[in-house]
Amino acid sequence: MDPEKMKAAYQRLEALDERLSYKIRPKSGYTQPSADQINAHLTDVANYTLELKDIVRDLMLAFASRKT
């Protein structure tokens, strides 16, 4: 396992959480969202998912590689 790659991936995960998690969490109270709000939320979820996929890939590579 490469601890430096692991640390870098963890830092990216924390940054992603701070930057986007609040946008994709359900809001309290229900109101019918507009089409623009739904599109914006869908974009946020897509961005979060794609970045999370990259971070998971980096974590897997960190586990598979040797310390540099």
Side-chain angles (χ1 to χ4, degrees):
M1 179 176 77
D2 186 340
E4 293 301 317
K5 288 182 181 180
M6 180 70 95
K7 181 179 178 183
Y10 179 77
Q11 289 173 338
R12 287 179 54 210
L13 182 62
E14 289 297 308
L16 174 65
D17 184 49
E18 290 174 13
R19 196 175 74 250
L20 288 177
S21 287
Y22 76 94
K23 289 184 174 184
I24 63 170
R25 287 193 179 108
K27 308 287 188 261
S28 62
Y30 181 77
T31 58
Q32 184 66 34
S34 69
D36 289 338
Q37 289 172 322
I38 291 171
N39 285 334
H41 189 74
L42 185 59
T43 299
D44 291 336
V45 171
N47 289 335
Y48 189 90
T49 302
L50 292 172
E51 192 165 342
L52 187 59
K53 175 193 63 101
D54 291 338
I55 293 169
V56 169
R57 180 187 304 124
D58 290 346
L59 284 170
M60 293 170 71
L61 290 172
F63 277 119
S65 60
R66 294 183 182 201
K67 183 177 178 180
T68 56

